[in-house]
Amino acid sequence: YSGLGVYTGSALNDLTLVGTAETIGDNFNPFSAVTFVAAAGTTYYFLVVSASGDFGNISLQLVKPGNNSFFGRMTLAGPRITVGDSNVGATVETGEPGVGSRSVWFAWTAHGTDIVIIDSCGSNFNTTIGAYTRQPTTNSVGNLNLVMKQDSVTPATCTTNRLQFTPVDGTEYEIRLSGTGTLTGNYVLNIVQRQTQAITFLPLPDKVFGAGPFTLSASTNTGTPVTFATATPLTCSVTG
């Protein structure tokens, strides 16, 4: 079992504590974890000590989500998407909009003008979510246009505190998700664009009472399966 400390400073006798942590986890996978917001250009020093006098190999990892930066945002595609990960180690950039200091970014392009719903249901901590657009010629986090945001989403209110708007076809929307304040955890982001459904039936020749069995076939533009039922079971039946 170990303890972990993070410091800044210029000499051993003149260090400033940033954060500490004792061992967490279980007997098979014990570890220590410190979360902090790193400042650009600052040197950090890490102290690992044995909490019980034991000795052995040390593994030190610096964790930061790949989509923490706006430039590294995760590209999502499709009318129905669910992604999940952790925002542990995430920070914010200079000029970044929104509240919360543990943000991750996504990019999603609308297909059509049907209503889109974005929520963080499934996350195990309080989150904030926002949707933005950018000018096609810019790729800067400080030059975004707000579409809609929710600054306080709890696991209990995620179905009501969500984003819902009519998108512009072909427009890329930049989606920001953060913990409230400095909260971190396992997040889930759900995107559903409601599509107007059309059903196409294959041509069916005229039938008369007493005709033998025949096949019905239909498809939808959304890929939803089509099922058949009869309203007059004494006259005809549907099987299969």
Side-chain angles (χ1 to χ4, degrees):
Y1 291 87
S2 63
L4 175 65
V6 182
Y7 301 84
T8 60
S10 57
L12 184 60
N13 60 354
D14 187 29
L15 296 176
T16 300
L17 178 65
V18 176
T20 62
E22 296 182 354
T23 298
I24 56 179
D26 53 38
N27 292 333
F28 300 99
N29 187 32
F31 65 93
S32 303
V34 176
T35 300
F36 63 97
V37 179
T42 300
T43 300
Y44 293 89
Y45 301 92
F46 300 90
L47 173 65
V48 181
V49 297
S50 171
S52 57
D54 296 331
F55 60 90
N57 296 325
I58 295 174
S59 176
L60 184 64
Q61 296 179 325
L62 300 180
V63 180
K64 184 175 182 178
N67 58 333
N68 179 203
S69 70
F70 179 74
F71 185 77
R73 57 195 181 278
M74 182 187 300
T75 300
L76 305 176
R80 184 178 294 271
I81 304 162
T82 295
V83 293
D85 207 331
S86 170
N87 71 329
V88 172
T91 58
V92 294
E93 302 172 80
T94 301
E96 181 174 325
V99 298
S101 59
R102 299 288 187 268
S103 63
V104 288
W105 286 90
F106 308 85
W108 174 79
T109 300
H111 297 276
T113 58
D114 295 305
I115 290 175
V116 61
I117 298 173
I118 303 173
D119 66 53
S120 55
C121 291
S123 302
N124 65 359
F125 62 108
N126 295 351
T127 60
T128 72
I129 51 176
Y132 304 82
T133 58
R134 62 182 176 88
Q135 297 298 323
T137 57
T138 64
N139 195 29
S140 170
V141 72
N143 191 27
L144 299 175
N145 300 313
L146 175 65
V147 177
M148 187 178 182
K149 67 174 182 175
Q150 292 285 357
D151 287 340
S152 181
V153 184
T154 70
T157 64
C158 67
T159 57
T160 54
N161 290 2
R162 62 188 186 182
L163 308 183
Q164 181 171 323
F165 57 91
T166 300
V168 177
D169 184 28
T171 296
E172 180 181 286
Y173 290 88
E174 321 304 339
I175 302 168
R176 179 185 187 269
L177 184 149
S178 175
T180 302
T182 60
L183 291 180
T184 59
N186 297 320
Y187 68 80
V188 176
L189 179 71
N190 306 291
I191 302 176
V192 176
Q193 186 175 18
R194 295 177 176 175
Q195 294 179 290
T196 301
Q197 184 164 276
I199 302 177
T200 302
F201 293 88
L202 293 183
L204 182 67
D206 293 338
K207 297 292 180 179
V208 297
F209 182 76
F214 54 91
T215 300
L216 297 174
S217 182
S219 61
T220 66
N221 62 326
T222 61
T224 303
V226 177
T227 59
F228 296 90
T230 177
T232 56
L234 298 179
T235 304
C236 61
S237 62
V238 176
T239 59

